[in-house]
């Protein structure tokens, strides 16, 4: 009959054996991924040749100073104003109807094209021509839009 097991002995590896196991697994990883390792080493070599590694090391050494400078710049009045303006503009754009915005931008582009043509031709408009142009449906529509735009803008400027 077999004798009962009274104690379990755990196989404890020495530091040297652990190091040997780690080296063996590292060798296997390198041999399986030799192409990737070569590319990484080439990339690191290029970064070193242009001084990027040295710059990165210096930044890491001065990380507290760099963080203080960055935070100082981010909390400066112009940057906070810019962030607030961008958030306000994003909120305003989010509230606009995309179809209306698309139509408005298309109209602006068309207007810029017409204006560039007129500037290239160097046309002068007389008072009589201006009055006649007001009867043009496109011009009248744009003037109507502009006048009501100015009215809405002015009412919100109070």
């Amino acid at each position: 009959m077999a004798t009962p097991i009274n104690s379990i002995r755990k196989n404890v590896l020495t530091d040297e054996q652990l190091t040997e196991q780690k080296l063996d697994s590292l060798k296997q990883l390198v041999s399986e991924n030799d192409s990737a390792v070569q590319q990484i080493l080439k990339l690191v070599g290029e970064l070193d040749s242009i001084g990027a590694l040295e710059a990165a090391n210096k930044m890491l050494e001065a990380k507290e100073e760099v963080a203080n400078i960055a935070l100082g710049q981010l909390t400066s009045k112009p940057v906070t104003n810019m962030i607030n303006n961008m958030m306000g503009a994003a909120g305003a754009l989010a509230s606009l109807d995309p179809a209306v915005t698309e139509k408005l931008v298309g109209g602006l582009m068309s207007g810029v094209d017409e204006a560039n043509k007129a500037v290239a031709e160097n046309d002068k408009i007389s008072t009589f021509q201006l009055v006649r142009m007001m009867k043009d449906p496109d011009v009248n529509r744009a003037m109507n839009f502009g006048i009501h735009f100015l009215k809405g803008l002015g009412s919100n400027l109070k």
Side-chain angles (χ1 to χ4, degrees), residues 29-81:
L29 276 174
V30 169
S31 68
E32 290 172 359
N33 300 299
D34 66 326
S35 174
V37 171
Q38 287 176 5
Q39 288 179 3
I40 288 171
L41 290 175
K42 185 178 179 181
L43 176 66
V44 170
E46 289 293 324
L47 289 172
D48 186 43
S49 70
I50 62 171
L53 288 180
E54 184 180 354
N57 281 330
K58 295 293 182 190
M59 284 179 60
L60 287 174
E61 289 171 6
K63 63 185 166 234
E64 197 169 305
E65 293 172 36
V66 171
N68 286 335
I69 291 169
L71 284 175
Q73 290 298 315
L74 286 175
T75 57
S76 69
K77 185 87 171 149
V79 174
T80 55
N81 283 344

Side-chain angles (χ1 to χ4, degrees), residues 92-120:
L93 286 174
S95 67
L96 289 175
D97 181 13
V100 172
T101 305
E102 184 178 347
K103 194 174 188 180
L104 183 61
V105 170
L108 286 172
M109 297 305 294
S110 178
V112 168
D113 289 342
E114 287 289 324
N116 282 332
K117 287 178 193 174
V119 167

